[in-house]
Amino acid sequence: MAFDIDMIKKVYANVAERVDAARNVTGKPLTLAEKILYSHLWDGTTNKAFSRGADYVDFAPDRIALQDATAQMALLQFMQAGKSKVAVPTTTHCDHLIQAKNGAGSDLQSALNTSNEVFNFLESVSNKYGLGFWKPGAGIIHQVVLENYAFPGGMMIGTDSHTVNAGGLGMVAIGVGGADAVDVMAGMPWELKFPKLIGVKLTGKLSGWTAPKDVILRVADILTVKGGTGAIVEYFGPGAESMSCTGKGTICNMGAEIGATTSTFGYDESMERYLRATDRSDVADAANKVKEYLTGDAEVYANPENYFDQVIEINLSELKPLLNGPFTPDLSTEAGKDMTDKANENGWPLKVEWGLIGSCTNSSYEDLSRASSIAQQAIDKGLGIKAEFGINPGSEKVRYTADRDGILGIFEKLDAKIFTNACGPCIGQWARYSDPANAPKNSIIHSFNRNFAKRADGNPNTHAFVASPEMVAAVTIAGRLDFNPMTDTLINKNGEEVMLDEPTGWELPPKGFEVKDDGYLAPEEDGSHVQIAVKEDSERLQLLAPFTPLGNSITGAKLLIKAQGKCTTDHISMAGPWLRFRGHLDNIANNTLIGAVNAFNGKTNFVKNQLTGEYDAVPATQRAYKKEGIKTIVVGDHNYGEGSSREHAAMQPRHLGVAAVLVKSFARIHETNLKKQGMLGLTFANEADYDLIQEDDTFNFVDLKDFAPGKPLTLEVVHADGTKDTILANHTYNEGQIEWYNEGSALNLIKKQNAS
């Protein structure tokens, strides 16, 4: 039986009335995304048609998921909200703080030894406030959500950008910062600008070496890392219906890499099969009664150009295996000759040192079974393996079942390391080097979602390429980045030329899923007696103090850094070894913007302190300004803050005294996180004004006292020689968000409202 089945049945009980009303108000057929959005309005049944990309709308999500790295800050904030229990079903998952090094057994024990304080904190807070708790080793949050909590037609939010994975089961699932989650946990509405809609029509059928991963790698190539910003991507067509549920999850998962609000598929037979295989026949039965409301209207899919803001069509029968990268997930190359040519042209190492399969993107039973069919061929055909191999199962249920069925044993015969059911290398938790900053240039291939510089192993010279699990297995066996299993031969141990056959596998385990201990701990019904202890001298955890409002008169603000090029949340607040400080704001603030490239010297973590004229690390320079009571500004390029949902990338600059971030454009989640923390998130009205900013600049906000929706702010930029430029800065703040700014943060406003 499913978790929270009564809640799910309530959603289905309301869906027909709410969708019919929305269809009547809008006067048109509806996409699936619109049906879910309109059926989850905070005010219930709608009497208004919302404008895409313009109207801010209050929603009522059905559930929340938190992962341990972001849960710490989210729950530290919730503890200040004045509530005794979460208002909607919420779970905490311990998957980020487990480092991959030697293998599952010792790595998990090492994590328990080093992060026990944090795990105990998360477990006790979950127990006190009514959150379900998934222990370390239970699995990666998004795979566990797909197996246990996702349901067609539902809406959820999660404090991880890859929450969107649940779109594989027909949800609108959206990654958010912890402050957004706190709103919903506290029983308040969740605000989102009504998204635009991108339709992706899939025709044909995947076959041979092509996998669902190649679909999203192709979409990323088309839309780029910012092409989905502010939009929901909805997949439909006969090609969509022919794919497995976990394959759909893979496609939705990497929608985060194109900046999409989320991605989703309509309810179909593959989803029903998956629900029943994961002991949720009650959900499937309930969904079948309203299934016409759990997919887009037929007219929409017949004439998509009339209902979507943009339509892309991909013929799966013509799609070929792709490798995306390095350093960005939208740089796409076909396997084989194209990769040879591009690698030689760009100096990418063709020798592959590691192949990695897993992460929340591709760690299902189907993924492991298809990759293992290639691994078995390496054994049967006497090929061995040329690169090192690592496997991260997505959950204990997947791991136990795959082990029972001999799948993990196949990988182990090739000396693969079976890592813990956790994120591991995907989020920088990989102890590959003792000195990653000075590690050599090399190439790796993985089935993860992100491949930014330093992402997996901390080495800026690691060229990481993203591919399907079966392609990862083939390339790892060959040891060459440009190996094309469809055309190329390999020499086996007997000197014979052999080819790899096409991968095979199982959508679902033939003997069903099995697990002895899935790692779940239910909270006590009444957790009021549970005590939560945070030691004053802890280096891992720190109770939060409210932020002070920045006020309506900011003058003399100094430029902290003018960031050039890609500046992701990894650049603003790195993961890897810094994950250990995710619950201690002051300690983790010491990594603030250390990965951002200074536009004035091309260096990272090396900026000018205007008070001394000396150059120093970004955090040290910012702390010097803070000590003198001087506010600062960060200037950035396009798609600033892309990547993870981590609100630390907003909270750290806020904590250190940054008042405003002025950029060419924002990634959605990061812009919202800045607003939630009471900061100014601004964009150049004229992008060319970015070039006006000089290293010694001081900023005066001319009309901040008139801060209002739709009205640009005027900045006077004073240069070192006394000359001045006036810059207009746009913003997307509405009245409620301006109130967050005036109160110092959204959390301050929640506390004020709860106290009144």
Side-chain angles (χ1 to χ4, degrees):
M1 183 173 177
F3 287 95
D4 310 306
I5 186 63
D6 291 338
M7 176 270 285
I8 295 171
K9 288 181 176 178
K10 183 178 178 182
V11 171
Y12 290 161
N14 293 328
V15 68
E17 177 187 353
R18 294 184 176 187
V19 170
D20 289 346
R23 199 185 283 119
N24 184 56
V25 167
T26 60
K28 66 178 184 63
L30 298 178
T31 66
L32 168 63
E34 289 174 309
K35 290 181 179 181
I36 298 175
L37 292 170
Y38 276 109
S39 64
H40 284 83
L41 298 175
W42 180 258
D43 293 330
T45 303
T46 189
N47 56 10
K48 174 186 176 182
F50 295 105
S51 297
R52 300 176 192 168
D55 287 341
Y56 281 97
V57 182
D58 285 341
F59 291 100
D62 300 312
R63 67 174 313 108
I64 300 169
L66 315 172
Q67 46 94 334
D68 50 357
T70 53
Q72 296 171 66
M73 198 58 68
L75 293 176
L76 283 164
Q77 291 178 85
F78 181 73
M79 288 166 62
Q80 295 188 50
K83 297 291 184 177
S84 61
K85 197 169 186 178
V86 292
V88 301
T90 305
T91 50
T92 303
H93 304 256
C94 297
D95 61 353
H96 276 57
L97 298 179
I98 304 168
Q99 190 174 56
K101 185 177 182 180
N102 300 315
S106 63
D107 290 349
L108 178 57
Q109 186 57 54
S110 177
L112 292 172
N113 293 341
T114 58
S115 295
N116 195 50
E117 178 187 9
V118 173
F119 294 143
N120 286 342
F121 169 77
L122 294 174
E123 183 180 341
S124 62
V125 176
S126 297
N127 204 15
K128 183 175 183 67
Y129 294 107
L131 293 78
F133 182 76
W134 291 81
K135 296 185 294 186
I140 304 172
I141 176 173
H142 311 303
Q143 180 65 28
V144 172
V145 166
L146 199 70
E147 291 175 3
N148 295 278
Y149 299 114
F151 66 97
M155 173 185 272
M156 69 173 288
I157 59 173
T159 59
D160 188 286
S161 55
H162 294 103
T163 300
V164 295
N165 189 80
L169 248 176
M171 293 194 88
V172 161
I174 301 175
V176 300
D180 276 351
V182 170
D183 283 355
V184 180
M185 287 191 285
M188 301 178 70
W190 174 63
E191 182 187 70
L192 178 72
K193 185 179 286 187
F194 204 83
K196 295 182 179 180
L197 300 175
I198 298 174
V200 181
K201 182 178 182 180
L202 302 179
T203 61
K205 189 174 183 179
L206 294 171
S207 62
W209 283 93
T210 313
K213 185 76 159 201
D214 297 303
V215 177
I216 185 57
L217 295 181
R218 178 69 181 123
V219 171
D221 180 52
I222 294 169
L223 290 176
T224 77
V225 291
K226 61 180 181 178
T229 303
I232 292 179
V233 181
E234 185 169 327
Y235 293 84
F236 61 94
E241 295 174 6
S242 69
M243 272 188 282
S244 69
C245 178
T246 52
K248 292 178 173 73
T250 291
I251 292 170
C252 292
N253 184 294
M254 276 195 67
E257 274 53 70
I258 58 172
T261 301
T262 192
S263 304
T264 195
F265 286 78
Y267 179 57
D268 61 14
E269 292 179 359
S270 72
M271 294 185 192
E272 180 179 353
R273 290 193 296 271
Y274 188 75
L275 285 169
R276 296 192 188 283
T278 51
D279 299 319
R280 290 176 288 171
S281 289
D282 45 355
V283 178
D285 292 341
N288 285 341
K289 294 176 183 177
V290 292
K291 60 184 178 182
E292 67 270 27
Y293 293 96
L294 305 179
T295 190
D297 287 334
E299 169 63 18
V300 170
Y301 294 157
N303 299 285
E305 63 281 351
N306 295 334
Y307 302 99
F308 291 97
D309 298 290
Q310 181 180 356
V311 178
I312 297 168
E313 185 168 338
I314 297 174
N315 185 339
L316 302 184
S317 301
E318 298 175 355
L319 191 64
K320 295 181 180 179
L322 299 170
L323 290 80
N324 281 27
F327 307 129
T328 185
D330 60 352
L331 179 57
S332 189
T333 306
E334 286 190 4
K337 184 179 182 303
D338 285 354
M339 177 57 77
T340 307
D341 294 343
K342 197 178 288 187
N344 288 332
E345 180 182 342
N346 291 284
W348 302 339
L350 284 170
K351 180 178 182 293
V352 172
E353 296 194 0
W354 268 89
L356 298 157
I357 292 172
S359 90
C360 59
T361 326
N362 281 108
S363 54
S364 67
Y365 184 91
E366 180 182 35
D367 291 325
L368 296 184
S369 70
R370 285 178 63 84
S372 72
S373 75
I374 306 303
Q376 184 64 56
Q377 290 183 56
I379 297 168
D380 295 342
K381 298 185 179 189
L383 288 169
I385 193 165
K386 296 289 179 62
E388 294 189 76
F389 212 178
I391 311 293
N392 279 83
S395 69
E396 178 58 15
K397 182 179 288 185
V398 166
R399 188 212 65 80
Y400 189 93
T401 305
D403 191 38
R404 178 201 67 188
D405 295 346
I407 289 173
L408 296 187
I410 294 171
F411 292 123
E412 288 172 327
K413 288 177 183 177
L414 292 176
D415 294 326
K417 284 187 178 180
I418 310 300
F419 293 125
T420 314
N421 314 319
C423 303
C426 183
I427 47 89
Q429 285 285 61
W430 187 19
R432 183 183 178 195
Y433 298 110
S434 59
D435 183 15
N438 295 302
K441 185 176 180 179
N442 73 103
S443 287
I444 65 173
I445 186 169
H446 59 57
S447 68
F448 307 161
N449 35 48
R450 296 207 170 119
N451 57 351
F452 305 141
K454 305 182 185 180
R455 173 78 179 188
D457 58 14
N459 178 6
N461 298 309
T462 292
H463 294 58
F465 295 84
V466 183
S468 68
E470 40 269 69
M471 277 298 295
V472 171
V475 171
T476 304
I477 290 165
R480 280 186 63 85
L481 192 62
D482 57 350
F483 175 68
N484 184 351
M486 296 181 291
T487 59
D488 297 348
T489 59
L490 296 169
I491 305 298
N492 70 7
K493 295 174 182 177
N494 298 322
E496 303 163 329
E497 283 194 25
V498 297
M499 286 189 71
L500 295 173
D501 301 322
E502 294 177 351
T504 60
W506 294 275
E507 174 186 352
L508 296 163
K511 294 189 290 185
F513 283 107
E514 186 177 352
V515 66
K516 286 190 175 179
D517 178 8
D518 62 8
Y520 175 72
L521 295 176
E524 294 189 31
E525 189 66 32
D526 179 6
S528 59
H529 68 283
V530 176
Q531 298 297 311
I532 301 169
V534 175
K535 296 182 294 184
E536 286 190 16
D537 61 349
S538 172
E539 67 167 19
R540 300 291 301 271
L541 298 166
Q542 179 188 46
L543 295 176
L544 294 176
F547 289 134
T548 302
L550 292 168
N552 61 9
S553 177
I554 297 177
T555 59
K558 301 294 186 183
L559 176 70
L560 175 60
I561 185 172
K562 179 180 176 180
Q564 184 179 55
K566 188 183 285 285
C567 190
T568 71
T569 49
D570 279 70
H571 295 89
I572 306 167
S573 174
M574 288 184 178
W578 290 95
L579 283 173
R580 66 194 309 268
F581 298 125
R582 282 285 181 85
H584 197 295
L585 184 55
D586 194 56
N587 282 348
I588 199 169
N590 288 323
N591 80 0
T592 303
L593 286 157
I594 64 175
V597 176
N598 184 349
F600 299 109
N601 56 28
K603 298 181 179 180
T604 58
N605 203 26
F606 196 65
V607 296
K608 187 174 184 178
N609 180 335
Q610 293 187 41
L611 301 179
T612 65
E614 303 291 327
Y615 285 82
D616 203 345
V618 181
T621 302
Q622 178 56 44
R623 287 187 185 275
Y625 290 136
K626 182 179 181 179
K627 184 178 180 181
E628 298 300 323
I630 298 171
K631 295 182 173 65
T632 60
I633 288 180
V634 171
V635 172
D637 216 317
H638 275 298
N639 208 30
Y640 183 90
E642 87 174 78
S644 168
S645 68
R646 68 190 66 154
E647 65 184 341
H648 297 75
M651 294 186 77
Q652 292 170 215
R654 176 72 161 103
H655 170 69
L656 292 179
V658 176
V661 179
L662 174 63
V663 300
K664 293 180 181 178
S665 64
F666 280 111
R668 175 191 62 85
I669 301 175
H670 186 65
E671 182 181 21
T672 300
N673 285 344
L674 292 172
K675 293 178 178 180
K676 286 279 183 177
Q677 301 306 330
M679 295 177 71
L680 293 171
L682 310 172
T683 56
F684 289 100
N686 178 5
E687 288 184 7
D689 287 347
Y690 171 89
D691 297 324
L692 297 176
I693 307 302
Q694 299 175 22
E695 193 170 25
D696 293 298
D697 282 349
T698 298
F699 297 79
N700 300 316
F701 284 77
V702 175
D703 50 7
L704 188 55
K705 64 182 184 303
D706 301 320
F707 192 15
K711 181 181 179 182
L713 291 174
T714 306
L715 280 71
E716 180 185 66
V717 186
V718 183
H719 306 302
D721 62 3
T723 61
K724 299 177 181 179
D725 282 301
T726 299
I727 288 177
L728 278 184
N730 292 332
H731 66 83
T732 60
Y733 288 75
N734 59 26
E735 290 181 359
Q737 294 167 349
I738 291 174
E739 195 172 1
W740 299 342
Y741 175 81
N742 290 334
E743 292 294 334
S745 71
L747 182 58
N748 286 353
L749 183 60
I750 291 175
K751 290 171 64 178
K752 182 177 179 180
Q753 292 170 339
N754 285 336
S756 61

